[in-house]
Amino acid sequence: MDLVDLDAMAESHPGLADLDDAALARLKLMVDGAQEVVGLDHLISVLAGGPSMAGDDVIRCYVGFEPSGTAHIGWKVLALRLRNLLDAQANVMVFLADWHAWVNDKFGGDMASIQTTARYMEDTFRALLGHPEEGEGPGQLRFLWASTVMSDGDYWARVLRCSKGMTLAQVRKTFSIMGRDEASSDNDLSRFYYPAMQAADIGHMHIDLAIGGMDQRKAHMYMRDVSQRWGWRKATCLHTPIISALTASGGRME
């Protein structure tokens, strides 16, 4: 498996030559060792002094979770990546997608159990990351729940825009982001909104760097496609290798 090596990307990303040593070191901390990075030029632009998605100089990174289980080795591996991002003076958001988990029938749709698990995940990631300072500034950690974001009407307007023009066949092709196959959800309309919700999450929260396993690639490409259609700036997407579950060959850890 080939992993991202920033030193080997200079020819395809000439903007790297404009970064000073400190900015280049920050970028290497963020992306080196990932399986794939898409849209790297946005990060390069911000590190070179351009505006972030929020219009300032803070690079906002996000990783989303459906609260659905107990800690496993994959969380530790991801925490190492998030620690690098904090050390690179990025703001790191752990997005606890409680409503997404409900749509995906985690805990049988029991929201109380989903939200109890979300609180457990907050405590676990604080410990895995060494209890970093929390806040919205560079080098700080923050947690946000989907149920907080979804109280905003602007969010739902973005969800509709992310749905506009997409066919059912196109949406079905993204169902692997939920750990489901294309034929799994014809009896549940809510799941057809899931990809648009995930795309809207990234734009609504002014995310500069979206992080996920390779299983989330389709969601990120969906986000970039709809951003292109609506003339929105596109977040950089960083994809990490999938750690297979021990109980099912080829399945992802949950």
Side-chain angles (χ1 to χ4, degrees), residues 154-167 170-171 174 192-204 219 221-230 232:
D154 288 342
Y155 171 81
W156 288 107
R158 186 177 284 265
V159 170
L160 289 177
R161 289 189 175 94
C162 290
S163 304
K164 186 70 172 176
M166 286 293 178
T167 68
Q170 287 174 309
V171 174
T174 71
F192 283 82
Y193 285 99
Y194 192 110
M197 289 163 59
Q198 191 166 342
D201 297 338
I202 294 169
H204 184 75
M221 296 305 100
Y222 183 108
M223 175 275 296
R224 290 179 63 83
D225 286 346
V226 297
S227 296
Q228 180 73 27
R229 181 181 306 131
W230 289 101
W232 300 332

Side-chain angles (χ1 to χ4, degrees), residues 103 105 175 178 180 184-185 188-195:
V103 167
D105 290 331
F175 281 175
M178 295 184 282
R180 296 183 178 275
S184 65
S185 301
D188 189 342
L189 180 61
S190 68
R191 292 181 192 155
F192 283 82
Y193 285 99
Y194 192 110

